[in-house]
Amino acid sequence: MVARINSGKSISKALNYNEKKVQQGEAEFLAAQNFLKDANALNFYQKLAMFEKLNSLNEKVVTNTLHVSLNFDPSEKLENEKLIEIATMYMKGIGFGDQPYLIYRHFDTNHPHIHIVSTNIRWDGSRISLHNLGRNQSETTRKAIEKEFGLVKAESKKQVEAAQLKPVSAQRINPGKRATKAAIQNILRVVIYDYKFTSLAELNAVLRLYNVTADRCGENSTTFRHNGLLYRVLNAQGEKIGTPIKASLFYMKPTLKNLEGRFTENEKLRQPHARRIRTTIDYLFLKYKPANIDSLKKLLEKEQISLVIRQNKENIIYGLTYVDHKTKCVFNGSDLGKSYSAKLILERCSSPGMEATRSLADEKKVILRSEKTLASQQNQHTSLSFPNLSNDSNTTPPLDYVPYQLKRYKRKRKKKRLKL
């Protein structure tokens, strides 16, 4: 079993996604846990009202939505009752057992899986922390469920391959049909929620890996003038095919306006992970000395980093974008530093080790400069505090030297005058 956790800011979007799947015949509503009514008696607005009531108890919490998908091996034939049991055990294990949550079974992939929607606001208004939920509580619970129900383990090769995000196949897409939207939506759901990008170009660097692109069209187009955004499928040559779909038609609303808000948030979130990419690149140049950009690209793929090469019509490379699938961060080469831009990476390929050495030398200069600055500040502080001390360490005071503070002040006695 593979568990994927998505946290969000809109419970209505997560609920809408699953309800629309039900309407389209691609999902089935299984259960409503900890609701006041039975599942069959609940309509969309009643489900939403329960979540919104809880969220209103703590309006300071921005991220208040939990959207989980539990994915099983294609060989596993699980009945609905068994899936409900698994979902109940999972939610209890991650600390959401007393929360209201909805369970949906989806049929839009070749492997069985369920979606669970809930909120992390408790009945007393307190918040359930989502920090490291997937790494800690979810992993422990997943392993317990696999053992309890005899499921295929997530670590198995077969299960890992089934859960991986796969590119959209242009040959299987019917232009203008519902399949196109569903295929793109599956990609967007993972990329937009999981990856940290700070521009539309960086988002497209990730989407292109899965044969999808976000298109603003030409500057003279109506879409561009109204800040619109279209999502399209790409073929093997990177050409746009099929019918474009408006961003507003997807349940997560990946419009340009909403994406710009994520750009700002992701700028801070991705910074701690830039060092991993820089260190990996320098290490690969030091150990393997790649002779060209394609060799570097293959070496980076082994480290779970995709190198997206940007070229013009003359096939001249003008930019590089690094997509780190381990930390889910996206960086343009220039954002990592001058040594990782397209121009200097190409130079390093033609002369391996040159720029790596230069970057290390630059770091040493910065350290030395910082040490000198610190030393000068200390000397300046010392001279200001003790202006009478000599800088000559070999100078010693005379043997009969007595500090001024220890000297006793002798008062002169006044001579008494005789009065006549």
Side-chain angles (χ1 to χ4, degrees):
M1 185 183 85
V2 175
R4 286 177 177 162
I5 297 178
N6 290 316
S7 56
K9 302 176 182 179
S10 175
I11 194 73
S12 62
K13 289 181 181 179
L15 186 58
N16 260 307
Y17 170 73
N18 289 279
E19 290 291 324
K20 285 183 179 179
K21 285 283 186 180
V22 173
Q23 292 176 4
Q24 295 167 359
E26 297 177 350
E28 179 184 358
F29 178 44
L30 296 185
Q33 305 289 36
N34 299 321
F35 276 74
L36 300 177
K37 293 183 178 181
D38 293 334
N40 297 331
L42 290 170
N43 59 34
F44 171 81
Y45 298 101
Q46 290 171 328
K47 297 171 186 175
L48 181 61
M50 172 63 82
F51 291 128
E52 289 183 338
K53 180 180 179 180
L54 283 176
N55 291 344
S56 66
L57 298 176
N58 193 339
E59 295 181 350
K60 293 182 180 179
V61 177
V62 178
T63 304
N64 53 23
T65 302
L66 181 77
H67 191 180
V68 179
S69 67
L70 302 181
N71 305 269
F72 308 93
D73 189 80
S75 64
E76 294 173 320
K77 307 301 179 183
L78 300 170
E79 299 295 332
N80 288 346
E81 291 75 15
K82 189 70 67 177
L83 290 173
I84 294 173
E85 289 180 32
I86 292 172
T88 303
M89 182 175 176
Y90 179 82
M91 293 299 280
K92 184 178 180 180
I94 65 172
F96 280 74
D98 295 328
Q99 294 296 102
Y101 57 91
L102 304 172
I103 308 171
Y104 298 85
R105 180 171 190 167
H106 286 228
F107 308 104
D108 53 352
T109 60
N110 62 347
H111 66 276
H113 65 286
I114 59 175
H115 283 241
I116 308 171
V117 180
S118 185
T119 175
N120 64 330
I121 306 300
R122 297 188 181 95
W123 295 97
D124 61 357
S126 61
R127 176 182 65 92
I128 301 175
S129 176
L130 300 176
H131 183 65
N132 284 334
L133 185 66
R135 182 185 300 177
N136 299 331
Q137 296 95 316
S138 179
E139 276 296 286
T140 304
T141 306
R142 173 186 64 79
K143 293 177 181 178
I145 291 175
E146 288 172 347
K147 186 177 180 180
E148 176 73 20
F149 294 91
L151 303 175
V152 177
K153 294 182 178 180
E155 289 82 2
S156 68
K157 183 179 179 181
K158 186 167 60 172
Q159 180 74 321
V160 170
E161 289 177 351
Q164 284 179 343
L165 186 63
K166 297 179 180 179
V168 175
S169 177
Q171 289 77 14
R172 297 180 183 178
I173 294 298
N174 298 317
K177 300 293 183 180
R178 184 183 299 168
T180 306
K181 182 183 175 184
I184 296 176
Q185 188 162 261
N186 288 335
I187 301 295
L188 292 177
R189 182 169 55 85
V190 176
V191 172
I192 291 179
Y193 284 145
D194 292 355
Y195 284 80
K196 303 171 186 67
F197 44 85
T198 62
S199 66
L200 190 61
E202 291 178 4
L203 170 61
N204 272 327
V206 189
L207 292 178
R208 284 178 181 274
L209 298 175
Y210 305 102
N211 299 340
V212 177
T213 186
D215 188 13
R216 289 204 64 191
C217 302
E219 294 185 3
N220 296 325
S221 66
T222 305
T223 302
F224 188 92
R225 288 197 302 270
H226 291 86
N227 287 327
L229 201 59
L230 302 175
Y231 287 91
R232 308 188 70 167
V233 176
L234 302 175
N235 61 16
Q237 292 73 39
E239 300 169 341
K240 301 167 188 174
I241 61 170
T243 305
I245 301 175
K246 292 182 180 180
S248 57
L249 296 179
F250 294 99
Y251 87 94
M252 74 281 287
K253 296 293 185 292
T255 61
L256 187 60
K257 182 179 179 181
N258 291 336
L259 289 175
E260 286 173 347
R262 285 190 171 270
F263 296 161
T264 306
E265 294 177 7
N266 291 339
E267 182 63 45
K268 295 179 181 178
L269 294 174
R270 72 173 186 170
Q271 287 307 320
H273 305 290
R275 184 178 180 182
R276 172 181 133 80
I277 301 178
R278 286 195 291 261
T279 304
T280 302
I281 294 171
D282 290 340
Y283 171 76
L284 294 177
F285 272 108
L286 184 64
K287 185 175 182 179
Y288 298 103
K289 299 177 175 59
N292 52 55
I293 196 72
D294 291 328
S295 299
L296 176 62
K297 185 176 181 178
K298 291 179 181 178
L299 291 170
L300 285 171
E301 285 176 357
K302 294 180 181 179
E303 303 297 329
Q304 300 182 47
I305 299 174
S306 294
L307 178 59
V308 181
I309 302 171
R310 302 194 300 278
Q311 297 174 283
N312 58 19
K313 294 180 180 179
E314 289 75 28
N315 292 326
I316 297 175
I317 298 174
Y318 65 87
L320 299 175
T321 302
Y322 303 89
V323 181
D324 189 346
H325 299 287
K326 187 174 182 179
T327 62
K328 300 293 190 295
C329 293
V330 188
F331 288 92
N332 281 330
S334 56
D335 293 336
L336 292 173
K338 192 175 181 180
S339 298
Y340 309 94
S341 62
K343 180 181 178 182
L344 291 187
I345 285 291
L346 292 172
E347 288 183 13
R348 292 171 74 172
C349 287
S350 60
S351 180
M354 178 186 67
E355 285 302 323
T357 305
R358 184 187 301 174
S359 61
L360 290 173
D362 291 342
E363 289 182 7
K364 288 182 179 179
K365 288 179 181 179
V366 172
I367 294 171
L368 289 173
R369 195 180 300 119
S370 301
E371 290 177 349
K372 288 180 180 179
T373 304
L374 180 61
S376 63
Q377 290 176 349
Q378 289 177 342
N379 290 336
Q380 185 179 13
H381 176 71
T382 302
S383 62
L384 288 172
S385 302
F386 307 97
N388 295 325
L389 291 181
S390 172
N391 290 329
D392 187 359
S393 59
N394 296 323
T395 302
T396 56
L399 295 175
D400 59 348
Y401 171 76
V402 179
Y404 173 78
Q405 292 85 346
L406 300 179
K407 287 182 179 181
R408 295 180 63 184
Y409 179 74
K410 295 181 180 180
R411 297 178 63 184
K412 292 182 180 180
R413 293 183 179 180
K414 292 184 179 180
K415 292 182 180 181
K416 293 183 180 181
R417 293 183 179 178
L418 297 175
K419 294 182 180 180
L420 298 175

